[in-house]
Amino acid sequence: MNISVKILIFMVVGAIVGTIFQQFGGYQCIDELSKEACKAFQSENWIYTYIIDGLFNVGGAWFINALKMLMVPLVLVSLVVGVCSLTDPSKLGRLSLKTVGLYLLTTAIALILALLMASIFQPGNGMPVGDANFVPKEKPPLTDVLINMIPTNPFSAMAQANMLQIIVFAIILGLAISFSGDKGKTIKDWFESANHVVMGIVNLVMKFAPYGVFFLIAKTFATFPFADLVGGLGKYFILVIVVLILHALLTYGSLIALLARLNPVNFFKGMWPAMLTAFGTSSSNATLPVTMRCVEKNLGVHKNTYSFTLPLGATVNMDGTAIMQGIATLFIAQAYNADLTMAQMLTIILTATLASIGAAGVPSVGLILLAGVLTQVNLPVEAIGMILGIDRLLDMTRTAVNITGDAAVTTIVAKSEGEIELDTYNDPVIHSNFEEEET
Ligand code: ASP
């Protein structure tokens, strides 16, 4: 069976199983009992202990850990190999400009769409403000992010999985290897061989993707507070989901059709396994191995483009997160009866676009970024507490949009550079044959 269909089936079954288990040992205690009593309830409840917190939790965490384990070696070796195989190193500069330009453009479009829809549908009107409290973690200032892009110690960059630093180091290493010509050939061959081996591990981990996604979704649905949705947050929740879907279909679809002159349907078909994995893991970084795989195997993009654009995108490009920030900011402003001026709206677009640079694509990071945006427009940061409870499912959906945005820009840039196999992109047979062997 083709892998996309398999992941989808396991995901739906996971959602059903999780919802059933919620009735026995999941969420209801959070709502009705205090935290202490809830813990006591859960520790006595064997379904919670052995199934929700046991089986589902461990199975899902194994899958996420396996993906994360691949992240550093995969980004390092594929980027080094990608840069080494660039015939013209000046291409790298052009590639960076196009990529970063398109990343910023798509994020700005996402925010404008979000602000427009939130102004029309007013999800926060009449919301009781309540005693929301949320204390955000500190986010480093942009200057620090820029300074720290160059690692002082590449090994510690890898040990800490600092994506921007690894990207910079890998590009420098790749350039140095290709400038060394014949003398550097041994190292070049070593990286090429390592790349095949790492891809072998990706293939292996991908075989477990349906089960991993099943466990992750089952755990989420067993603990997700659907009851909160009825209490006024439903409108916010639905609006975020609708705008995320609109942005993915309309913005990416039309950019791919207009700028790359490619059929957008093939794009979405090819990206489906990565979107489902992003939905399951809530982490663009963890999904990276699968995103790379889809872009190469299903869309036919060459390694020397995607090995640079995708890891960069997982860190600096988060359109889905930007959409949540735009809608959440207006939602909170409306709940607090604060009218935002045009200048404040522009501030939201600017801060939210820049905020995502340097924030790693990991679960819930969007909420930390949101704190920064709220501060800029003088709204109370504690108000994030209002939307915290239902953020999990939104996080999953926006992560799927985040990685789709990275892949859309990658496809457009690759097409403009002639770095895409059109036969692969246009051939639907390959799309359903995801597990095809590495050649
Ligand atoms: N989880 C998202 C990602 O990894 C970021 C966020 O919006 O929290 O892309």
Side-chain angles (χ1 to χ4, degrees):
M1 192 192 290
N2 124 21
I3 186 101
S4 318
V5 179
K6 206 166 165 190
I7 299 181
L8 190 63
I9 293 176
F10 274 73
M11 198 171 99
V12 174
V13 176
I16 297 171
V17 171
T19 312
I20 295 172
F21 277 105
Q22 182 173 114
Q23 305 308 315
F24 300 108
Y27 168 68
Q28 74 273 37
C29 79
I30 300 170
D31 210 18
E32 288 158 17
L33 309 168
S34 73
K35 272 209 169 123
E36 284 302 303
C38 177
K39 271 200 193 127
F41 167 83
Q42 288 177 336
S43 63
E44 277 166 23
N45 184 302
W46 70 268
I47 291 190
Y48 181 84
T49 312
Y50 293 107
I51 299 193
I52 300 175
D53 199 38
L55 183 69
F56 295 166
N57 188 17
V58 174
W62 271 347
F63 178 54
I64 294 211
N65 282 4
L67 286 172
K68 283 190 182 159
M69 166 184 87
L70 281 165
M71 221 169 72
V72 174
L74 183 64
V75 171
L76 181 76
V77 294
S78 63
L79 192 49
V80 170
V81 170
V83 174
C84 279
S85 60
L86 278 178
T87 36
D88 170 15
S90 69
K91 205 171 172 174
L92 202 61
R94 213 171 49 230
L95 206 69
S96 325
L97 276 182
K98 280 187 195 171
T99 310
V100 173
L102 279 170
Y103 279 159
L104 293 179
L105 176 77
T106 49
T107 309
I109 297 177
L111 275 157
I112 292 170
L113 193 64
L115 292 178
L116 207 67
M117 294 288 276
S119 305
I120 297 173
F121 291 101
Q122 309 260 337
N125 261 1
M127 262 303 285
V129 172
D131 55 348
N133 56 15
F134 174 79
V135 185
K137 282 197 222 132
E138 280 286 317
K139 187 184 166 288
L142 195 57
T143 41
D144 280 8
V145 174
L146 291 176
I147 293 171
N148 291 331
M149 267 171 67
I150 300 187
T152 49
N153 178 345
F155 294 100
S156 95
M158 283 180 245
Q160 289 160 11
N162 184 321
M163 202 68 95
L164 282 184
Q165 293 189 342
I166 298 175
I167 292 175
V168 171
F169 176 68
I171 290 178
I172 296 174
L173 186 60
L175 285 175
I177 293 173
S178 67
F179 290 145
S180 331
D182 273 353
K183 292 214 168 110
K185 194 167 174 313
T186 321
I187 297 249
K188 186 174 174 197
D189 291 345
W190 186 88
F191 271 103
E192 268 166 12
S193 160
N195 187 48
H196 279 285
V197 176
V198 174
M199 275 303 177
I201 314 181
V202 175
N203 282 346
L204 200 68
V205 173
M206 274 311 291
K207 295 212 188 321
F208 293 96
Y211 314 105
V213 168
F214 167 84
F215 288 129
L216 290 168
I217 300 281
K219 163 131 197 266
T220 307
F221 275 73
T223 47
F224 190 76
F226 280 104
D228 272 3
L229 286 177
V230 193
L233 289 170
K235 211 167 162 191
Y236 163 77
F237 182 87
I238 292 170
L239 192 64
V240 176
I241 301 268
V242 168
V243 178
L244 285 173
I245 295 174
L246 279 182
H247 180 69
L249 294 179
L250 296 184
T251 312
Y252 302 147
S254 48
L255 285 180
I256 288 201
L258 295 175
L259 294 183
R261 305 222 164 267
L262 291 170
N263 181 354
V265 177
N266 288 5
F267 171 77
F268 289 112
K269 265 197 204 164
M271 286 310 294
W272 198 224
M275 288 159 89
L276 295 177
T277 310
F279 187 80
T281 59
S282 285
S283 166
S284 311
N285 280 7
T287 311
L288 198 55
V290 189
T291 318
M292 287 181 155
R293 199 89 183 110
C294 288
V295 165
E296 181 182 355
K297 290 284 167 195
N298 297 348
L299 306 183
V301 176
H302 293 174
K303 183 177 259 92
N304 47 22
T305 303
Y306 79 74
S307 65
F308 167 68
T309 57
L310 288 180
L312 187 70
T315 320
V316 309
N317 183 49
M318 298 182 184
D319 295 355
T321 305
I323 288 173
M324 178 280 285
Q325 293 180 71
I327 299 182
T329 309
L330 284 204
F331 171 81
I332 290 168
Q334 288 156 4
Y336 280 80
N337 279 324
D339 274 333
L340 293 181
T341 60
M342 206 55 201
Q344 279 175 311
M345 296 269 195
L346 285 176
T347 311
I348 299 176
I349 298 181
L350 205 67
T351 334
T353 308
L354 293 180
S356 57
I357 302 177
V362 294
S364 297
V365 75
L367 293 176
I368 301 172
L369 302 179
L370 177 61
V373 176
L374 291 177
T375 316
Q376 286 295 319
V377 291
N378 294 325
L379 285 169
V381 169
E382 322 80 75
I384 294 179
M386 287 163 72
I387 52 170
L388 202 59
I390 57 155
D391 194 62
R392 175 77 194 152
L393 206 58
L394 294 179
D395 193 2
M396 297 159 82
T397 319
R398 67 181 181 251
T399 308
V401 174
N402 287 348
I403 62 109
T404 311
D406 304 340
V409 169
T410 300
T411 309
I412 296 168
V413 172
K415 176 75 190 323
S416 77
E417 294 283 330
E419 292 286 350
I420 186 166
E421 296 296 329
L422 290 177
D423 287 347
T424 309
Y425 186 96
N426 292 325
D427 183 0
V429 178
I430 304 283
H431 288 298
S432 57
N433 190 12
F434 183 68
E435 285 186 290
E436 192 203 32
E437 269 315 296
E438 174 86 350
T439 46

